[in-house]
Amino acid sequence: MAFQTALTITEVVNDIHRKKYLLPSIQREFVWDTEQIERLFDSLLTGYPVGAFLFWHVNKENISKFKFYEFLRNYHERDNIHNTEANVSGEEDINAILDGQQRLTSLYIGLKGTYAYRLPRRWVENDSAYPTRHLYLNLLTPSDEIDMTYDFRFLTNKEALKRDDNSYWFKVGDILNFSEQYEINDYIYRNELNLVQQEKARYANKTLFELYKAIHVTPCINYYLERSQSLDKVLNIFIRVNSGGTQLSYSDLLLSIATAQWKQKDARKTITSFVDEINEIGDYFDFDKDLVLKTCLVLCDFNDIAFKVDNFDSVTMNIIEDKWDEIAQAIRLSVQLVASYGFNYKSLTANYVIIPIAYYLYKNGNPHNFVESYKYIQDRKNIQKFTIAAILKRIFGGQPDNVLKPIREIIKNNLTNFPYVLLKENLKVTNKTLKFTEEEVENLLWTKYGNRYAFSVLSLLYPNLDYKNNFHQDHIFPKSLLKSRAKLKREGISQKTIDYAVENYDYVGNLQLIEGIPNLEKSNKKFDEWLNIICISDQEKATYREKHFIPDINLSLDNFEDFMVEREKTIREKLLKILIN
């Protein structure tokens, strides 16, 4: 492995654009965020070293033995996160990147590509939540961040047009259009940057020159070139050089090894597309490759289920490939099942809870219509109890392998029905158990609206809801009234009740699950008034009270404290019956 003559960024970016550099299947996907890219460009302009790179020269006669992927060019957090497989048929020798993919992709995106990430508080499925952004550089003032010299930012074109005395945004990629240094002065004059305050005009000129020099002139891409054609050697080199930087997860490496070892399927394409598929089930989830690969190890009954390279040898990979369709269907059914319980990416706080469910379904042959058929109703109820208990008890925190293995053994020996009761009684791993104490049940009453575990607590109270409908967590006594001391005072509520309401309106005792449309209709109406609107007869009111654990007392606003005390008493009894008795 020899150190080579350094290259300029222009040379490398243009060669990436011409697909002269590719990524081997052992590379992870792009994971850098916009801040990391901005810091990389700041380092370049400041003159800081950006680290050495490692390229792998692959002879044309060996290209067909491996899989290669193109660089990601336009990153989109939802729609474009996966690299496209490269067409290498008929190619000459190629150079693949063993170390430096994140930095090189970042350079390409900053100069020729785009980056689209979701705006805060916007829905995943909303296309406008992902505006396309380019990398820009402020030519008038430096960064106001302590550890940044230059003000780089990813902006939309509209944002970049907003200019004032302290900002003029230059699209960084436009520097590639400059072939001679004198064009910098032309740009400065053409855009009247010479007419701003003298100090800022000087800064703009200097900054643009530094950018030109960093991209076109300075040979800052220092790299080693590995010419070995041995995959084993290349893998060992890859593992060693990727021990730093953004952490390379075992799943990325193991998936890459699988890609090289699977015979009939492309493991990388198969598993990454499968992850996308299951994440789109129901109201969206947030599963990853780690979950899928871990599930493969568990379902195939391998004794060691840890993420270790030794556990993913050719024998293991062949078994997983042979059983992939059945494994995928078991995972798919499990996700559909938890989605039918009303869980989504927000409320399913422990993704590994899917694995025991998938194991049970896999060992039972992935029963047809398991999610809908009346035949499996008791199984579904037991799995729902297990799911909620496992989430609330946080049994998959820490070292989940220590929990997955004993759970697998209990399920393996009890396949007639899902053995929730046996799991509750027999699962004892250090401090991990599915059993609840009375104190733990009491603590559930202190769960607040919006808490990640609120849905799990409420779903225990509503086991028979059809969650295919959209259910909202609703404040029974409206939040808009109870959180406002001024509004409560205008309603003539006593100071004691006001103090209690402001402190307690968000707890489970004041929450219910109701369908989205009724919740919108309910809006901020006082509860006693709303109940009289939707329930005409006394029987309808009695049915509603029973379904939602509403005490048979005065439901006016000034009786909120009594309502909470009585309803929490009923909820406590219900939870004790479910979780302990």
Side-chain angles (χ1 to χ4, degrees):
M1 186 162 60
F3 197 70
Q4 306 294 306
T5 303
L7 303 170
T8 65
I9 291 174
T10 301
E11 291 175 300
V12 173
V13 167
N14 286 337
D15 280 347
I16 290 174
H17 192 70
R18 291 192 288 264
K19 302 179 184 179
K20 290 184 65 175
Y21 292 113
L22 297 175
L23 302 170
S25 61
I26 54 177
Q27 272 286 13
R28 63 185 180 269
E29 294 183 325
F30 182 65
V31 295
W32 274 25
D33 58 28
T34 53
E35 183 177 333
Q36 288 172 291
I37 300 175
E38 291 159 5
R39 291 183 184 281
L40 174 64
F41 274 85
D42 184 70
S43 295
L44 288 169
L45 263 66
T46 310
Y48 294 160
V50 293
F53 297 80
L54 177 57
F55 298 170
W56 175 27
H57 185 88
V58 187
N59 297 335
K60 58 183 178 181
E61 59 267 22
N62 289 320
I63 288 177
S64 62
K65 297 178 181 179
F66 311 108
K67 290 185 184 297
F68 298 93
Y69 294 83
E70 295 181 13
F71 275 79
L72 196 63
R73 295 164 184 253
N74 295 291
Y75 179 87
H76 190 289
E77 186 180 307
R78 184 193 65 186
D79 296 337
N80 193 36
I81 61 174
H82 304 311
N83 300 81
T84 303
E85 184 177 347
N87 180 5
V88 292
S89 58
E91 294 283 346
E92 295 298 313
D93 298 358
I94 64 171
N95 283 325
I97 309 303
L98 289 183
D99 186 38
Q101 183 229 159
Q102 303 297 321
R103 287 168 288 163
L104 292 177
T105 303
S106 296
L107 290 174
Y108 187 92
I109 287 176
L111 289 165
K112 282 183 174 290
T114 60
Y115 199 113
Y117 58 84
R118 182 159 61 97
L119 296 172
R121 296 180 295 280
R122 297 289 185 90
W123 290 105
V124 172
E125 63 272 20
N126 183 357
D127 291 342
S128 64
Y130 303 86
T132 298
R133 300 172 183 272
H134 294 86
L135 183 62
Y136 284 87
L137 172 61
N138 188 356
L139 295 183
L140 294 185
T141 55
S143 173
D144 56 8
E145 294 188 32
I146 296 176
D147 55 349
M148 291 277 285
T149 302
Y150 295 92
D151 192 2
F152 284 99
R153 298 186 198 178
F154 274 92
L155 304 172
T156 63
N157 291 336
K158 184 177 180 181
E159 289 171 336
L161 290 175
K162 296 178 181 178
R163 296 168 181 171
D164 54 38
D165 292 341
N166 293 313
S167 62
Y168 181 97
W169 296 104
F170 175 80
K171 185 183 288 187
V172 174
D174 287 349
I175 200 68
L176 295 175
N177 300 327
F178 292 20
S179 57
E180 300 290 343
Q181 289 193 19
Y182 72 81
E183 294 178 85
I184 295 173
N185 288 326
D186 288 347
Y187 182 90
I188 294 291
Y189 281 99
R190 189 167 61 251
N191 291 277
E192 299 183 345
L193 289 171
N194 59 308
L195 301 181
V196 301
Q197 183 182 349
Q198 184 178 14
E199 182 180 344
K200 291 178 179 177
R202 188 176 293 123
Y203 179 84
N205 189 275
K206 178 179 180 296
T207 299
L208 210 50
F209 264 103
E210 291 295 340
L211 180 63
Y212 178 91
K213 185 172 68 173
I215 303 302
H216 288 291
V217 180
T218 305
C220 59
I221 305 298
N222 298 289
Y223 71 102
Y224 293 90
L225 186 64
E226 173 59 48
R227 294 185 177 275
S228 172
Q229 304 301 296
S230 166
L231 179 59
D232 286 338
K233 181 178 179 182
V234 171
L235 271 176
N236 285 323
I237 293 171
F238 180 76
I239 292 169
R240 293 191 183 192
V241 299
N242 280 281
S243 59
T246 297
Q247 184 61 42
L248 174 67
S249 72
Y250 267 111
S251 63
D252 287 310
L253 179 57
L254 299 177
L255 184 57
S256 300
I257 296 172
T259 298
Q261 294 178 343
W262 277 19
K263 306 302 181 186
Q264 304 299 323
K265 299 180 178 71
D266 180 327
R268 181 168 178 157
K269 183 184 297 182
T270 299
I271 292 179
T272 53
S273 63
F274 179 69
V275 170
D276 290 342
E277 175 196 337
I278 59 177
N279 278 335
E280 292 178 0
I281 292 174
D283 193 21
Y284 294 95
F285 287 94
D286 190 25
F287 300 116
D288 56 20
K289 298 184 293 292
D290 290 58
L291 174 92
V292 174
L293 288 171
K294 180 70 70 176
T295 306
C296 289
L297 292 175
V298 174
L299 269 57
C300 290
D301 280 319
F302 295 119
N303 182 55
D304 192 347
I305 58 174
F307 279 149
K308 297 189 298 187
V309 174
D310 291 345
N311 287 343
F312 284 82
D313 57 17
S314 60
V315 174
T316 301
M317 288 302 184
N318 288 335
I319 293 173
I320 292 174
E321 183 179 17
D322 289 342
K323 297 183 177 181
W324 170 251
D325 290 340
E326 291 78 14
I327 292 172
Q329 178 61 5
I331 298 173
R332 187 181 294 111
L333 278 175
S334 302
V335 178
Q336 291 171 352
L337 191 58
V338 296
S340 75
Y341 299 147
F343 286 99
N344 58 25
Y345 68 98
K346 293 180 181 178
S347 52
L348 193 71
T349 57
N351 285 345
Y352 271 29
V353 74
I354 292 294
I355 299 177
I357 302 171
Y359 184 81
Y360 175 76
L361 295 172
Y362 177 80
K363 288 297 181 180
N364 277 289
N366 295 325
H368 181 63
N369 287 336
F370 185 87
V371 180
E372 300 90 7
S373 174
Y374 185 81
K375 176 181 178 182
Y376 304 108
I377 188 169
Q378 189 56 51
D379 254 1
R380 292 198 298 272
K381 288 182 178 180
N382 288 339
I383 293 174
Q384 183 180 22
K385 290 178 182 177
F386 165 76
T387 302
I388 296 171
I391 287 172
L392 293 177
K393 290 288 291 185
R394 299 164 173 77
I395 68 169
F396 293 107
Q399 297 179 319
D401 290 2
N402 293 338
V403 179
L404 285 170
K405 292 178 72 174
I407 288 178
R408 180 175 66 177
E409 289 306 305
I410 293 172
I411 294 175
K412 183 192 297 185
N413 296 318
N414 298 276
L415 291 172
T416 304
N417 299 107
F418 188 85
Y420 168 62
V421 175
L422 288 173
L423 288 168
K424 186 169 72 169
E425 295 299 323
N426 298 313
L427 180 63
K428 297 171 185 175
V429 181
T430 58
N431 61 337
K432 302 295 179 65
T433 175
L434 292 171
K435 284 186 175 182
F436 282 81
T437 64
E438 290 191 13
E439 182 182 0
E440 287 173 325
V441 172
E442 185 69 29
N443 287 338
L444 294 179
L445 295 174
W446 292 93
T447 306
K448 279 190 169 186
Y449 175 84
N451 181 282
R452 297 175 69 207
Y453 299 94
F455 176 80
S456 295
V457 176
L458 289 171
S459 61
L460 284 170
L461 305 176
Y462 296 88
N464 298 317
L465 290 183
D466 182 2
Y467 288 101
K468 294 185 182 69
N469 300 319
N470 184 19
F471 283 87
H472 290 188
Q473 296 178 35
D474 169 64
H475 289 83
I476 299 173
F477 281 63
K479 175 181 179 178
S480 61
L481 275 176
L482 296 185
K483 72 176 183 178
S484 171
R485 292 180 179 273
K487 289 181 180 179
L488 290 172
K489 194 170 183 178
R490 285 197 295 270
E491 292 287 338
I493 306 302
S494 69
Q495 188 60 48
K496 177 176 177 293
T497 301
I498 291 175
D499 292 341
Y500 181 87
V502 170
E503 292 179 3
N504 292 278
Y505 67 86
D506 248 354
Y507 290 117
V508 165
N510 190 38
L511 302 180
Q512 62 181 348
L513 289 180
I514 62 174
E515 291 190 63
I517 293 177
N519 186 36
L520 294 175
E521 294 173 344
K522 179 174 179 287
S523 188
N524 297 322
K525 293 184 178 69
K526 296 176 184 177
F527 180 62
D528 54 347
E529 296 176 359
W530 183 75
L531 191 61
N532 287 329
I533 293 173
I534 65 164
C535 299
I536 306 300
S537 68
D538 290 341
Q539 181 58 48
E540 287 176 325
K541 289 179 181 177
T543 300
Y544 189 94
R545 286 177 185 269
E546 181 180 1
K547 179 180 179 181
H548 295 282
F549 307 95
I550 307 298
D552 190 11
I553 61 173
N554 176 14
L555 297 176
S556 61
L557 200 58
D558 57 1
N559 204 37
F560 176 66
E561 184 172 356
D562 288 345
F563 164 82
M564 285 288 285
V565 170
E566 291 300 317
R567 190 166 189 262
E568 284 183 347
K569 179 181 177 181
T570 304
I571 290 174
R572 184 183 297 108
E573 292 172 354
K574 178 71 172 178
L575 293 177
L576 287 170
K577 183 178 180 181
I578 296 171
L579 298 174
I580 295 182
N581 300 337

